[in-house]
Amino acid sequence: MASSAPPLRPEQFERYRRHLSLPEFGVEGQRKLLEGSVLLIGAGGLGCPLAQYLAAAGVGRLGLVDFDVVAPSNLQRQVLYGTGDVGRPKVEVARERIEAMNPDVAVAIHQERLSSENALAILRDYDVVVDGTDNFPTRYLSNDACVLLEKPNVYGAILRFDGQASTFDARRGPCYRCLFPEPPPPGAVPDCAEGGVLGVLPGIIAMIQATETLKLLAGIGEPLIGRFLHFNALEMEFSEYRFAKDPCCPVC
């Protein structure tokens, strides 16, 4: 049956020509991106390059959740922002940059902290959720909400010279709690403010997350479901670990 979706406009054919040339992707894959929606939790080190590449690829609707303002210490790695943006809400600056990049992309901003009170309402309207947070409570909260709403959760984390990535989808495999049943004790793991982070590391992990997101939306390739990817920047080494759904997982 022929697709009922509107055909790509001439300017879209030109903009996305490199996608359309991919046999695995083509016009149908690009349509899926344009009709798709992604929620980015966090507009920081991971969220900035994620937003740029997903917008450039033509994801039709991007949601941004972040309550913070741009600080001078962000500028070493949060590449959507400049010196003149210091003190402004991150989601507002990010929306301006994304809309200037690609008029095909509608941006919804949620200038608030994700909480147990608002998580289900915010996540409900998106096809894919991408976790770019830097704290354990929000990671567990986003995972649990994704399990309840049956959404894929594309995970990434960074610290010092190390990064991690995976894709959790309780409908097809394990969730975040299957891998990490309980958060570490408070203070046991430093955050980036305490431990530091190599400025380019968020970009590397964010590109893995962006790739996973585009694959999920377009329905191509094999996602990192049941696979945990670790990257060591000092050694320029990737390691992959496989894990299964925990039959005792309290969530999924």
Side-chain angles (χ1 to χ4, degrees), residues 149-168:
L149 294 171
E150 298 185 333
K151 308 277 186 185
N153 176 20
V154 182
Y155 161 78
I158 52 171
L159 181 64
R160 296 175 176 154
F161 299 96
D162 294 286
Q164 305 170 351
S166 188
T167 295
F168 304 109

Side-chain angles (χ1 to χ4, degrees), residues 63-112:
L64 307 174
V65 183
D66 201 300
F67 65 93
D68 207 358
V69 298
V70 179
S73 61
N74 300 150
L75 304 180
Q76 164 251 16
R77 67 201 175 281
Q78 298 183 18
V79 292
L80 272 177
Y81 314 126
T83 303
D85 299 316
V86 170
R88 296 186 61 198
K90 290 182 178 180
V91 291
E92 291 186 3
V93 180
R95 177 170 60 183
E96 291 175 6
R97 301 288 193 272
I98 294 166
E99 290 178 342
M101 285 176 59
N102 190 347
D104 288 337
V105 182
V107 182
I109 61 174
H110 307 271
Q111 191 179 343
E112 54 191 310

Side-chain angles (χ1 to χ4, degrees), residues 145-228:
C146 284
V147 172
L148 291 172
L149 294 171
E150 298 185 333
K151 308 277 186 185
N153 176 20
V154 182
Y155 161 78
I158 52 171
L159 181 64
R160 296 175 176 154
F161 299 96
D162 294 286
Q164 305 170 351
S166 188
T167 295
F168 304 109
D169 189 339
R171 298 166 299 178
R172 302 167 58 186
C175 78
Y176 182 72
R177 284 188 186 269
C178 293
L179 184 62
F180 302 111
E182 297 291 339
V189 179
D191 59 19
C192 289
E194 299 168 331
V197 62
L198 184 67
V200 298
L201 180 64
I204 297 169
I205 300 303
M207 290 308 93
I208 295 171
Q209 292 180 278
T211 304
E212 287 289 284
T213 302
L214 296 180
K215 286 160 52 183
L216 290 169
L217 289 174
I220 61 173
E222 290 296 327
L224 283 170
I225 294 174
R227 295 186 289 155
F228 183 81

